[in-house]
Amino acid sequence: MMAIRSPQPAPAQNPAVTVDVLVFTIREDALQVALIKRGIEPFKGSWAIPGGFVLPHESLEEAAAREVREEAGVTDVFLEQLYTFGRPDRDPRCRTITVAYYALVPSVHIHLSASTDAAEASWFPVKRLPPLAFDHADILQTALERLKSKLEYSSIAYALLPERFRLSELQKVYEVILDRKLDKRNFRKRILSLDLLEATDQVDAGGAHRPARLYRFKERRIVSFD
Amino acid sequence: MMAIRSPQPAPAQNPAVTVDVLVFTIREDALQVALIKRGIEPFKGSWAIPGGFVLPHESLEEAAAREVREEAGVTDVFLEQLYTFGRPDRDPRCRTITVAYYALVPSVHIHLSASTDAAEASWFPVKRLPPLAFDHADILQTALERLKSKLEYSSIAYALLPERFRLSELQKVYEVILDRKLDKRNFRKRILSLDLLEATDQVDAGGAHRPARLYRFKERRIVSFD
DNA sequence: TGAATAGTGTCTTTCAGACAATATGCC
DNA sequence: GGCATATTGTCTGAAAGACACTATTCA
């Protein structure tokens, strides 16, 4: 069976396409996200997820990686496409479709840079966010859900930690993302049984207490379990 | 700390944005996908995933729903965004970014329609696909992985079945998507323990054998378990 | 009565979760 | 020796997976 439908012509003007990147890290025992304060209208003075146009020669992922590099000065970070947001009215200026990515950077000193159309850049704990521009609150919510669910069945946590870490640091990553306390014995039993980690022969240079053994991920890449 | 980076200006011309939709159904005990035979260059004569431009006034999801309606003549189907594909060279004509969706339609007679730039539309079992245009083989692969994983932890199977169905039909849905046989007793025990189904007082009008009880989903919407 | 599918129970293993005491290094 | 964190095991309940026979209807 065959029928003819009316064609949809190419629109007179294409929508603008941007890539927005949520850069997450763990700081001060909290999950934090990098935001910029907008220096131009619309939403001048509001905080927003950093992003920019996709250039003609680059892929979406390359555009996202460039954004992370410009924003946080880091390369080789975990970067994954999140979702594409395209409500017709999401940008009052013109039709804009944004492909959102999220990046995970290790909890070390990350130097945020403000871009030209941003007055300021800063980390915010995801539990204490300022009002966000555009539909960025939706995007952030989507990212937090993805992060929680991926943490449960994959090894993404490696991307938030330095190469060597204490098991208690790894547990803290799980706790701040899942937003609940975990039992130490059960956590260690489960995480070690996954066979993703190996103990190193080093211990940390901690404080006035028993030093902890340092572990590392056997592979510093995403592995799914379950 | 603050640094100034060079701005990325808006590109002289925006990329084209399309929505492609993988329409899946179960036919002849196989997972099948609707494809169109391209009537125009490039890839004239190749099979492709149906799609089209996003119109100025519609959201991405509305564009995808319109595509399903035009292609398969059905509304109210399960529809979910899959992934956005944007390799710079994926369309030889011009920079084109496609937001891929997938739809699940019940295994009843679906009347496929060819659009104007398609010579023909047809169902293909996903295990016997023709060569596909553009990067559509990648898109299909991504969809199959998503479908398998969502089947395991959500109730999407409802969208592939009529309102009332035999448990053996439901099991078949799982088997053809996961591409492996399942044990009948374990399958029934597990699926019934999820408390998503309810038995109706009807049995099917089957053949020369004991009739099967018909079940239905308590809620015809996606529910996640695990 | 034979063909075809429907329908059902037990056992074993694995995993998750509740739960508390001892060990070690540093000051 | 006191403090702060590290490290470790048992029990219980739930769920997954292996596995085979009886029931029912129709031709």
Side-chain angles (χ1 to χ4, degrees), chain B residues 52-69:
Chain B
F53 291 105
V54 180
L55 302 183
H57 61 283
E58 69 187 355
S59 69
L60 299 170
E61 176 144 347
E62 284 163 359
R66 172 170 58 74
E67 202 60 46
V68 176
R69 195 169 60 245

Side-chain angles (χ1 to χ4, degrees), chain B residues 22-25 30-36 45-50 122-133 135-145:
Chain B
L22 297 129
V23 182
F24 289 108
T25 198
L31 178 64
Q32 306 212 3
V33 63
L35 298 175
I36 59 166
S46 284
W47 292 89
I49 300 164
S122 179
W123 292 107
F124 285 87
V126 298
K127 298 186 74 167
R128 293 182 175 275
L129 290 174
L132 297 184
D135 55 357
H136 288 186
D138 292 341
I139 299 178
L140 194 37
Q141 200 53 43
T142 304
L144 292 175
E145 286 164 19

Side-chain angles (χ1 to χ4, degrees), chain B:
Chain B
M1 275 292 128
M2 203 69 47
I4 299 302
R5 64 168 164 159
S6 56
Q8 290 297 349
Q13 197 178 1
N14 291 325
V17 178
T18 59
V19 164
D20 288 348
V21 186
L22 297 129
V23 182
F24 289 108
T25 198
I26 308 278
R27 281 164 57 99
E28 296 158 7
D29 286 350
L31 178 64
Q32 306 212 3
V33 63
L35 298 175
I36 59 166
K37 192 169 196 172
R38 287 181 59 81
I40 58 171
E41 293 293 350
F43 296 101
K44 182 172 177 176
S46 284
W47 292 89
I49 300 164
F53 291 105
V54 180
L55 302 183
H57 61 283
E58 69 187 355
S59 69
L60 299 170
E61 176 144 347
E62 284 163 359
R66 172 170 58 74
E67 202 60 46
V68 176
R69 195 169 60 245
E70 290 170 354
E71 179 71 20
V74 286
T75 54
D76 284 324
V77 297
F78 172 90
L79 185 62
E80 182 175 275
Q81 188 180 304
L82 175 64
Y83 196 81
T84 299
F85 296 82
R87 257 188 25 225
D89 59 346
R90 58 180 295 283
D91 187 326
R93 289 167 298 184
C94 65
R95 181 71 196 269
T96 305
I97 288 165
T98 194
V99 185
Y101 279 76
Y102 69 105
L104 305 179
V105 302
S107 51
V108 290
H109 304 319
I110 296 287
H111 165 99
L112 292 184
S113 309
S115 65
T116 33
D117 52 353
E120 202 177 331
S122 179
W123 292 107
F124 285 87
V126 298
K127 298 186 74 167
R128 293 182 175 275
L129 290 174
L132 297 184
F134 304 105
D135 55 357
H136 288 186
D138 292 341
I139 299 178
L140 194 37
Q141 200 53 43
T142 304
L144 292 175
E145 286 164 19
R146 173 81 63 91
L147 197 47
K148 282 188 195 190
S149 92
K150 281 215 93 125
L151 193 69
E152 304 251 36
Y153 70 86
S154 83
S155 63
I156 48 170
Y158 81 86
L160 290 163
L161 289 170
E163 200 215 332
R164 286 146 198 267
F165 50 86
R166 294 175 284 131
L167 288 184
S168 58
E169 289 178 290
L170 181 58
Q171 181 173 344
K172 183 61 82 175
V173 169
Y174 277 73
E175 287 179 339
V176 299
I177 292 176
L178 299 179
D179 196 22
R180 61 191 167 94
K181 295 290 285 178
L182 300 174
D183 179 84
K184 181 162 46 163
R185 284 163 297 185
N186 292 339
F187 178 79
R188 286 169 180 240
K189 185 174 31 166
R190 188 167 63 82
I191 208 81
L192 291 174
S193 76
L194 295 174
D195 199 34
L196 298 172
L197 303 183
E198 60 189 5
T200 70
D201 52 6
Q202 296 180 289
V203 293
D204 75 340
H209 56 267
R210 174 174 174 180
R213 179 158 302 278
L214 295 181
Y215 287 78
R216 70 172 156 225
F217 279 87
K218 289 180 178 174
E219 298 184 271
R220 287 186 70 76
R221 61 181 187 82
I222 193 168
V223 176
S224 288
F225 31 91
D226 272 11

